[in-house]
Amino acid sequence: MIPHTIPTWQHKSWQEQLTNQITKPADLLSRLSLDNQWLPAAERAAALFPLRVSEAFVSRMRPGDPNDPLLLQVLPLGEEFAVTPGYSEDPLEEEKSNPAPGLIHKYHGRVLLIAAPHCAINCRYCFRRHFDYRQNTPSRTEWQAALAYIKTRPEIDEVILSGGDPLMLGDKQLRWLLTEIDAIPHITRIRIHSRLPVVLPDRFTSTLLELLSATRAQMVVVAHCNHSQEIDQSVEAVFEALKQAGITLLNQTVLLKNINDSANILIELSKRLFQSGVLPYYLHLLDRVSGTAHYEVDELDARRLREELLAQLPGYLVPTLVKEEPGAPSKTPIR
Ligand SMILES: *Cc1c(COP(=O)(O)O)cnc(C)c1O
Ligand code: SF4
């Protein structure tokens, strides 16, 4: 029996939930009973990069708290207009390693395919907030070029689907793409980076779970969860279902000032993830993308946090602290 307290959005399909997302700063503020002092800046900053957040994610925010760690990831702020030395629009210089539309080949043995241009959430700190998705919006024709590139390079054994969010694709497109990748003999692993387990749990329909568990190649899902408050029962149920389907579950986190830059918060996150069957993988320093400097935690503080985690957690619950440097052969570990 469905308790009468379940809000109406929970009865909607994932596609309907996407059409009904919150995109107006005024709606977000009023939904959380926050006063309008943040509205003018939010509206200006939303013109730089639109506000977008799902009801599911908003439902885990604390009403009336302007410092809520989930709200701070999505609320457009005046600080985004700051011009900071060392911050640019393409700090990773990805445009240099773009051999086919939507394909990024930077590291040995693995390629990253931007499978879908959009997300079900716009994270303000996003390293792709200035990415030219129009040139990287996929279609089958463009995927063919990426697939042809992969097919002729036997040293590639893993395809990483990223975005945007690859699970924003409809089942039909995703089925086609997974089947094509799975048919390449030297591909042994398919990895999907997605924020949807946290942002849109209802995306994980039985059809999707079937799709993800049907590949010959081993399937890895990397969730992007930044705070334990993002994990409620519905998210836990998604992780459980993915685990039941035989999928390896990892998580990566971005270290964000005033959101998760404390040892207690990170420890709690690691424990909560593991309870749900997910292993912490990476803890990323922020990429220096214009408009995000107010989220940066400096490297020295990050190192101290890492040491505290090592002192308090078993090694397997300590994510690897990394940053991304253009031209480097892998993420750069920080010790
Ligand atoms: C992060 C990243 C990868 C994956 O790196 P792993 O260390 O294997 O997780 C692959 N390609 C690109 C372009 C990346 O940015
Ligand atoms: S889900 Fe990832 S790619 Fe999408 S806006 Fe957030 S950080 Fe950026």
Side-chain angles (χ1 to χ4, degrees), residues 119 121-123 125-126 164 195:
C119 297
I121 186 169
N122 280 349
C123 313
Y125 55 84
C126 182
R195 208 149 146 66

Side-chain angles (χ1 to χ4, degrees), residues 20 24 28 53 87 91 98 109 111 119 127 173 176 180 194 216-218 251 259 300-301 314 332 334:
N20 290 310
K24 291 196 187 99
L28 180 60
V53 62
Y87 280 69
N98 205 186
V111 287
C119 297
F127 68 114
Q173 273 180 301
W176 184 87
E180 289 289 315
S194 175
R216 167 197 55 83
Q218 286 181 289
N251 182 71
I259 292 175
L300 200 64
D301 291 334
T332 308
I334 296 165

Side-chain angles (χ1 to χ4, degrees), residues 27-256:
D27 292 348
L28 180 60
L29 293 176
S30 85
R31 182 82 168 58
L32 294 168
S33 320
L34 288 169
D35 83 68
N36 276 342
Q37 63 170 299
W38 290 278
L39 190 57
E43 279 179 340
R44 277 188 298 125
L48 291 176
F49 181 51
L51 166 70
R52 172 176 297 282
V53 62
S54 63
E55 288 279 0
F57 197 75
V58 174
S59 73
R60 295 171 222 136
M61 295 176 185
R62 287 185 299 258
D65 182 359
N67 296 316
D68 180 88
L70 276 55
L71 175 67
L72 291 180
Q73 296 179 50
V74 299
L75 180 66
L77 294 173
E79 281 97 322
E80 293 174 33
F81 287 92
V83 175
T84 316
Y87 280 69
S88 71
E89 302 213 338
D90 180 22
L92 310 182
E93 297 177 16
E94 284 188 334
E95 280 165 23
K96 287 183 186 160
S97 10
N98 205 186
L103 193 72
I104 303 172
H105 190 188
K106 281 209 307 203
Y107 300 155
H108 179 80
R110 52 227 198 268
V111 287
L112 186 150
L113 183 64
I114 296 175
H118 301 298
C119 297
I121 186 169
N122 280 349
C123 313
R124 306 315 296 176
Y125 55 84
C126 182
F127 68 114
R128 295 200 196 282
R129 55 183 281 154
H130 307 285
F131 196 73
D132 191 354
Y133 281 123
R134 274 160 311 170
Q135 281 184 19
N136 282 277
T137 298
S139 65
R140 279 191 193 187
T141 332
E142 281 171 335
W143 282 340
Q144 297 285 11
L147 291 164
Y149 178 90
I150 299 166
K151 278 177 196 159
T152 55
R153 285 169 181 77
E155 72 277 13
I156 298 171
D157 63 359
E158 177 169 357
V159 176
I160 302 168
L161 301 185
S162 178
D165 201 305
L167 298 182
M168 290 286 276
L169 290 175
D171 293 341
K172 228 169 108 183
Q173 273 180 301
L174 193 63
R175 185 189 306 276
W176 184 87
L177 185 60
L178 287 176
T179 308
E180 289 289 315
I181 296 169
D182 207 34
I184 303 172
H186 52 268
I187 298 303
T188 57
R189 297 179 307 280
I190 300 175
R191 188 198 320 177
I192 294 180
H193 277 256
S194 175
R195 208 149 146 66
L196 294 196
V198 159
V199 170
L200 199 66
D202 289 338
R203 173 65 186 97
F204 293 81
T205 59
S206 51
T207 311
L208 179 63
L209 291 164
E210 251 165 64
L211 270 180
L212 298 181
S213 55
T215 55
R216 167 197 55 83
Q218 286 181 289
M219 182 64 69
V220 180
V221 168
V222 184
H224 289 204
C225 180
N226 294 323
H227 195 288
S228 62
Q229 196 184 311
E230 290 172 30
I231 305 174
D232 68 359
Q233 278 183 346
S234 65
V235 177
E236 235 168 29
V238 168
F239 289 143
E240 182 59 32
L242 289 166
K243 223 175 83 172
Q244 293 288 329
I247 294 162
T248 300
L249 288 173
L250 304 173
N251 182 71
Q252 74 173 40
T253 298
V254 182
L255 187 57
L256 298 164

